[in-house]
Amino acid sequence: MTESAGMRVPARARSWLGVAAATVIAGAAVAGFWWLAVPRFDVCATVLPVPAGCRIADRVPTATLWTAVVAVLYVATVVVALARPRGRWWPLAVGIAVLIVAALWGYRAVLYQT
């Protein structure tokens, strides 16, 4: 089945949709990292993994590292989205997939930091 000319989304619009998706993913990841890392409680239950907001010395450096990783991947994804050769879609899809994997892996790394 072919799409009619009126229903096709221009390559430029797809690029901006990719940038919007990458922005939401990166923003949610960074917010999640720092929600876990910033201490909000003085006394916490002794369970593993330690609940969000409890004082753990290694959570802040780990959140900083993963924030930097996600920021670099976000910039790379945006560059790929805006400078795609001949309108190819797969580099953008790979960039977003890598960004999602890094966001999930970073969240888990910050959560299980001891």
Side-chain angles (χ1 to χ4, degrees):
M1 217 179 208
T2 61
E3 295 178 345
S4 68
M7 295 183 66
R8 297 188 84 187
V9 178
R12 190 64 134 175
R14 283 192 306 256
S15 294
W16 286 109
L17 289 174
V19 169
T23 302
V24 168
I25 293 164
V30 170
F33 300 159
W34 289 103
W35 179 72
L36 289 172
V38 174
R40 294 183 298 273
F41 307 110
D42 290 329
V43 178
C44 293
T46 55
V47 296
L48 289 176
V50 177
C54 289
R55 293 187 185 275
I56 294 182
D58 294 335
R59 271 193 177 164
V60 172
T62 305
T64 304
L65 171 71
W66 280 102
T67 298
V69 168
V70 167
V72 168
L73 290 173
Y74 170 73
V75 169
T77 303
V78 169
V79 167
V80 166
L82 298 179
R84 289 184 299 161
R86 289 180 256 135
R88 295 182 188 241
W89 62 271
W90 67 267
L92 177 59
V94 169
I96 290 175
V98 169
L99 188 61
I100 289 170
V101 168
L104 293 173
W105 196 352
Y107 187 83
R108 187 179 186 287
V110 174
L111 178 64
Y112 287 103
Q113 187 62 45
T114 57

